[in-house]
Each structure stands twice: as C-alpha cells, then as structure tokens.
Amino acid sequence: MGKAGIGRIIDLHYIISRIINKYIGSLDPGDMYERELANTLIFLRESMWRSCGSSGGLCGEEVVTGSLDLLRNSYNLLVLRSGAPYEVKMKIYRIFKELLDEINSYGKKNLGHDLVTTEWLREPKLYRLSVRVRGKNIPREAVVEVIGHNYYSEKDKVNPRENIFNLAEGEYLVRLSIEGNVAVQKRSSSTGLRVGVGVSGSA
C-alpha cells in the first residue's frame, strides 16, 4: 500500500535480517577481499537503518533504494578499479550478483519491480598489459613488478623487448627494481595496455 510523499512501504527488517545479514555471515573474515565486502555490507546495513529512522523497520521505497546505491560504488572500488587477481574479482562478482538477485526477488514479489538496477554489474575483464623498459645497460637481475590491491603483485625479470602481464582490469603500480632497489615506478590501469618504464644513466 502506497503513502503520499514516501512511496510504497518496504520491510527493511526483512531485507537486512534475511538477506544482508545472511551474506555478511557467509563471508570469510580470513579472506581480505571477502572481509572488505563484509565491511561494505555492514556499512550498508547501518546506513539503511539510519535513513529509515523507524524502529519497526518499515520505510519508504525511495529510502531503501537510495541506500542500495552504495552497492554500485562499492562494486566499482572492490572489483572494477582495484588491482586484484582475476579469480578473486570473479568470486566477488558472483557474490554481488546473488545478493542483488535476492534483493530484487523481494522487490518483484512485494512491489512488482526490482529494487536496484543491475546494468552496472558486469563481469571484470581480463587484459594484456605490456611493459617496456627503456634505458641502457639494464642488468639481467632487474625485475618488473606489477602491484595491485592488498599486497597482490606479479613480477618477472626484465625482457629486452617487453614484459607481458595478463591482469584483471584495475589500477596497478608498475615498478622497476634493480638489485632490490626501486629505480622507477609508474601508476597504470590494466586497460591502458601499454606502459613504458624508463631509467636514466647506466647501471
């Protein structure tokens, strides 16, 4: 039943206790990526309660959907922008998809439509990042390292032509180390495909 000014009424207590809390409890706190997602859902839960302002948990539809917009920003940060292994991103993507499906299932059953849009929820892509080291007399022991989120990194000895890394889309720091010391580092996105790393002088 709708009410003027606040739209249709939603049982926020149900969404939090039966859906949000279930996912929070299922996530592994020992996994740093799942822990970040759990913290996101805890923040979402608290934000929804604050926005609702009803001890009984009955809120206007626009209050709930406004809070659910936080999921879009969280997905962008956790999956699309962070530098993390592809399989980790796919795991988080599947969790988000299942969560949104349950929330929208509630919306269709009780309101006749979805509660949250899902066009922003897309699978992370895998890209080929090419790193070319420019400079003279680069020692054989020099290492190119691509550093992402939560200490994730991939490294390889410098290839005279180019070093290829297959990475999930995201933001990474490209670092050239010589004899264990950082010579050059440059921030890059895996969607940029090519990164040049230069050194000055001779080793």
Side-chain angles (χ1 to χ4, degrees):
M1 180 180 295
K3 287 188 178 182
I6 62 172
R8 302 188 68 178
I9 298 300
I10 290 178
D11 184 355
L12 181 60
H13 183 268
Y14 179 92
I15 291 177
I16 288 178
S17 63
R18 299 294 184 88
I19 302 177
I20 303 297
N21 284 349
K22 181 181 74 172
Y23 278 88
I24 292 173
S26 69
L27 295 170
D28 180 7
D31 182 299
M32 61 183 70
Y33 298 98
E34 290 194 27
R35 185 170 62 247
E36 285 194 29
L37 177 54
N39 289 336
T40 294
L41 295 180
I42 291 170
F43 179 80
L44 172 64
R45 179 180 65 190
E46 294 173 350
S47 174
M48 293 173 85
W49 275 124
R50 286 196 304 269
S51 298
C52 179
S54 168
S55 59
L58 297 179
C59 310
E61 179 181 347
E62 74 283 358
V63 172
V64 176
T65 55
S67 294
L68 289 173
D69 281 342
L70 290 170
L71 290 173
R72 181 202 302 251
N73 295 331
S74 297
Y75 186 76
N76 186 47
L77 292 173
L78 286 173
V79 178
L80 301 183
R81 290 184 57 188
S82 72
Y86 180 72
E87 60 272 15
V88 169
K89 290 185 177 237
M90 283 301 299
K91 177 175 68 174
I92 300 300
Y93 160 76
R94 286 189 287 268
I95 293 172
F96 262 91
K97 187 176 187 305
E98 291 173 4
L99 172 63
L100 294 179
D101 284 346
E102 287 201 41
I103 292 173
N104 282 334
S105 178
Y106 170 90
K108 290 174 182 176
K109 180 179 179 180
N110 294 277
L111 304 171
H113 59 80
D114 290 343
L115 274 177
V116 57
T117 59
T118 59
E119 72 276 0
W120 49 267
L121 184 71
R122 61 174 179 80
E123 291 188 19
K125 297 179 181 179
L126 193 62
Y127 286 89
R128 178 178 179 269
L129 179 68
S130 172
V131 179
R132 292 184 176 180
V133 177
R134 302 184 299 269
K136 297 180 179 180
N137 302 321
I138 304 297
R140 293 181 180 180
E141 296 76 17
V143 172
V144 172
E145 184 177 12
V146 179
I147 305 169
H149 187 55
N150 281 333
Y151 308 107
Y152 164 65
S153 71
E154 294 191 16
K155 62 178 67 177
D156 197 7
K157 288 186 177 181
V158 171
N159 186 301
R161 297 186 62 182
E162 64 180 346
N163 289 83
I164 302 297
F165 297 91
N166 293 314
L167 303 168
E169 63 181 294
E171 296 177 355
Y172 299 86
L173 187 68
V174 181
R175 176 180 294 170
L176 172 65
S177 299
I178 299 175
E179 296 181 351
N181 298 313
V182 177
V184 180
Q185 62 183 23
K186 181 177 182 180
R187 187 163 298 281
S188 176
S189 166
S190 63
T191 59
L193 298 182
R194 288 187 177 278
V195 175
V197 178
V199 296
S200 60
S202 59

